[in-house]
Amino acid sequence: MCDLLRINTDRGVMIGDGKSRFSINGKPIYHFVGTSTFSEYTVMHVGCVAKINPEAPLDKVCVLSCGISTGLGASINVAKPRKGSTVAIFGLGAVGLAAAEGARIAGASRIIGVDLNPSRFEEARKFGCTEFVNPKDHNKPVQQVLAEMTNGGVDRSVECTGNINAMIQAFECVHDGWGVAVLVGVPHKDAEFKTHPMNFLNERTLKGTFFGNFKPRTDLPNVVELYMKKELEVEKFITHSVPFSEINKAFDLMAKGEGIRCIIRMEN
């Protein structure tokens, strides 16, 4: 959330002098989101660099740079479920599965996965999900289904789809008095969040998070250590690996919803 370094897709140049560090045949090539990690060598602002354990395998911990840390932190740092509590996870892609993993690490006793794709349910068991709800299987709002399953509502919910209806459902499914909903997914720019004010007056809490409330430079090394101590399993998030020349195959996998994370190997 740093004013200087927050994600800026339009900048494309170094902050210090407003120039690019890349060129080809005298023409500048612009930086991508301040990191330009599709390049074998790159130049970036010191504030974008986190020093991690040199023993950590880069072909594994690279997945901690975005979605996995975001979902994990949304549960551990923001939702903060207590041991024995009930958590609903909306969306079982990589971020949602990481949120489920975070709820499992925190000691939640029931982790309910909500997704329109039932093929994801079996995979989600590996990440701590204990029950599943497909909204298409019910003729009533999913928040009502969850409330009936949990005697009034879940203790915590984490929304990882970016769909505005799922965001509203995630908020309205938490228990009044103490329920906390955390929004992680990025909505459409024109989306509007609409709910009755009584949902707030009944002491439900709505929170948002960016990168799981981790501070990259100081917190990412600690997340890597969780992996090194085998408290966080990273391998199960990595389902495919392709060389850079087959990057479009990786996009195809993502578009089809197949696999969780695909590693791009920077080789010819």
Side-chain angles (χ1 to χ4, degrees), residues 5-76:
L5 296 174
R6 68 190 308 153
I7 287 179
N8 182 339
T9 53
D10 300 322
R11 187 165 58 227
V13 292
M14 297 299 288
I15 292 169
D17 60 5
K19 294 178 182 175
S20 168
R21 294 294 182 269
F22 304 105
S23 65
I24 186 166
N25 299 328
K27 289 185 177 179
I29 294 175
Y30 294 101
H31 296 246
F32 177 68
V33 197
T35 55
S36 303
T37 49
F38 279 2
S39 171
E40 289 170 292
Y41 297 92
T42 188
V43 181
M44 61 180 78
H45 192 284
V46 66
C48 297
V49 181
K51 187 176 181 181
I52 63 167
N53 186 332
E55 299 296 316
L58 294 178
D59 62 342
K60 303 289 191 298
V61 298
C62 59
V63 296
L64 297 175
S65 64
C66 187
I68 313 301
S69 296
T70 298
L72 184 75
S75 285
I76 293 175

Side-chain angles (χ1 to χ4, degrees), residues 1 57 83 85 115 122 155 161 163 188 227 230 247 268:
M1 301 303 284
K83 276 192 175 178
S85 59
D115 202 293
E122 203 51 48
D155 301 308
T161 71
N163 178 287
H188 186 274
Y227 165 70
K230 295 187 166 45
I247 187 170
N268 294 327

Side-chain angles (χ1 to χ4, degrees), residues 1 26 72 84 97 103 109-110 123 164 171 191 208 223 227 229 243:
M1 301 303 284
L72 184 75
L97 293 175
S109 61
R110 294 177 71 188
E123 189 81 43
I164 191 64
F171 176 55
V223 179
Y227 165 70
K229 290 188 286 190

Side-chain angles (χ1 to χ4, degrees), residues 92-124:
L92 297 175
V95 178
L97 293 175
E101 181 85 345
R104 180 189 68 76
I105 291 170
S109 61
R110 294 177 71 188
I111 302 173
I112 305 167
V114 181
D115 202 293
L116 296 171
N117 183 352
S119 66
R120 289 179 165 173
F121 293 166
E122 203 51 48
E123 189 81 43

